[in-house]
C-alpha cells in the first residue's frame, strides 16, 4: 500500500500539493493580488507593505483558529505554481476557506477545474462543499453559481454558499438564488 505523497492529481495538468515553507513568498503574493483595495490607501509604499503584512498575519491567525485542521495546498498548472487553496475537511462538510489564482494564470479555468475536482471527491463521500464570498466587489459569485453552489445564508458583507452532491438530502431543498455580483 502506498502512502500519501502530499499531492493530488486533478487532471488537465492540474495538481494540488501541500504548501511548504518554500511557498511563503508565493502565498504572500497571492494574498496581495487578491486584496488590491489595501493598496488604495494614500500612503507610502512602506506603509502599504506593512499594512499587507499586518493583514496577512491576521488572516493566517484567523484560519489557524477557525480551521485548525485545514489543509493548505498550492495549485500547480503543468508543474508551475498557479494558486492556492485552503480546505478544511470537516465531518459535516468540506470548507473552502481560501482559493486564489495568480493574476497571470487567471481566465483559463484553473479555479473552476480545482473546485470541480473537489466536487468530484466530495461527491464520493456525499459531503457538501461550503464557502463564503463577499457580496460586493467580488467577481466569483457567478462562477460559484455556474458550479452549482447555492446561497444558504447572508451575513454582511458575506454570502455563504454550499454545493450539495447529487442525492444529498439538502440538495433536494429548493433555494431560489438571489442575484448578486
Amino acid at each position: 500500500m502506498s502512502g500519501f505523497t502530499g499531492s493530488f492529481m486533478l487532471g488537465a495538468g492540474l495538481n494540488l500539493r501541500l504548501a511548504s515553507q518554500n511557498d511563503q513568498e508565493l502565498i504572500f503574493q497571492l494574498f496581495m493580488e487578491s486584496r488590491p483595495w489595501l493598496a488604495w490607501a494614500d500612503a507610502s509604499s512602506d506603509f502599504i507593505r506593512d499594512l499587507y503584512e499586518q493583514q496577512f498575519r491576521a488572516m493566517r491567525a484567523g484560519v489557524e483558529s477557525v480551521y485548525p485542521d485545514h489543509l493548505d495546498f498550492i495549485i500547480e498548472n503543468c508543474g508551475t505554481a498557479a494558486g492556492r487553496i485552503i480546505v478544511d475537511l470537516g465531518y459535516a462538510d468540506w470548507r473552502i476557506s481560501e482559493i486564489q489564482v495568480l493574476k497571470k494564470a487567471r481566465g483559463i479555468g484553473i479555479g473552476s477545474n480545482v473546485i470541480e475536482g473537489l466536487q468530484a471527491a466530495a461527491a464520493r463521500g456525499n459531503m457538501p462543499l461550503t464557502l463564503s464570498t463577499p457580496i460586493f466587489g467580488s467577481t466569483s459569485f457567478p462562477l460559484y453559481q455556474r458550479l452549482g453552489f447555492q446561497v444558504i445564508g447572508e451575513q454582511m458583507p458575506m454570502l455563504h454558499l454550499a454545493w450539495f452532491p447529487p442525492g444529498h438530502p439538502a440538495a433536494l431543498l429548493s433555494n431560489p438564488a438571489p442575484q448578486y455580483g
Side-chain angles (χ1 to χ4, degrees):
M1 182 169 120
S2 64
F4 177 59
T5 62
S7 67
F8 299 97
M9 299 298 292
L10 297 177
L14 289 175
N15 181 55
L16 298 181
R17 68 167 172 78
L18 289 173
S20 71
Q21 275 303 117
N22 295 336
D23 296 311
Q24 295 313 302
E25 188 173 320
L26 169 70
I27 291 169
F28 187 65
Q29 177 185 352
L30 284 159
F31 179 84
M32 290 189 315
E33 285 185 5
S34 67
R35 291 158 178 87
W37 57 88
L38 292 176
W40 297 347
D42 186 18
S44 71
S45 59
D46 287 341
F47 177 85
I48 300 295
R49 176 73 182 200
D50 289 345
L51 179 61
Y52 271 111
E53 288 174 352
Q54 181 264 336
Q55 292 294 307
F56 182 68
R57 285 190 303 273
M59 184 273 304
R60 291 187 85 131
V63 167
E64 292 292 330
S65 68
V66 175
Y67 307 110
D69 298 324
H70 72 276
L71 297 171
D72 194 349
F73 292 106
I74 299 300
I75 302 166
E76 294 180 326
N77 184 27
C78 298
T80 302
R84 172 190 194 204
I85 187 166
I86 300 173
V87 181
D88 182 65
L89 304 178
Y91 294 104
D93 66 348
W94 291 359
R95 175 79 178 170
I96 300 170
S97 67
E98 291 273 334
I99 183 166
Q100 304 155 335
V101 176
L102 286 168
K103 279 184 183 179
K104 65 183 180 185
R106 291 180 190 159
I108 59 172
I110 291 173
S112 297
N113 288 333
V114 168
I115 291 174
E116 287 170 343
L118 284 175
Q119 287 173 317
R124 287 191 289 277
N126 200 30
M127 294 294 285
L129 289 177
T130 61
L131 57 84
S132 296
T133 191
I135 292 173
F136 304 107
S138 172
T139 58
S140 302
F141 183 71
L143 166 73
Y144 297 137
Q145 279 188 307
R146 185 174 51 78
L147 292 172
F149 282 82
Q150 303 172 29
V151 175
I152 58 169
E154 181 178 324
Q155 184 179 16
M156 290 300 267
M158 305 298 281
L159 285 176
H160 304 293
L161 309 175
W163 169 87
F164 301 99
H168 188 279
L172 304 176
L173 302 175
S174 68
N175 190 0
Q179 297 302 310
Y180 297 97

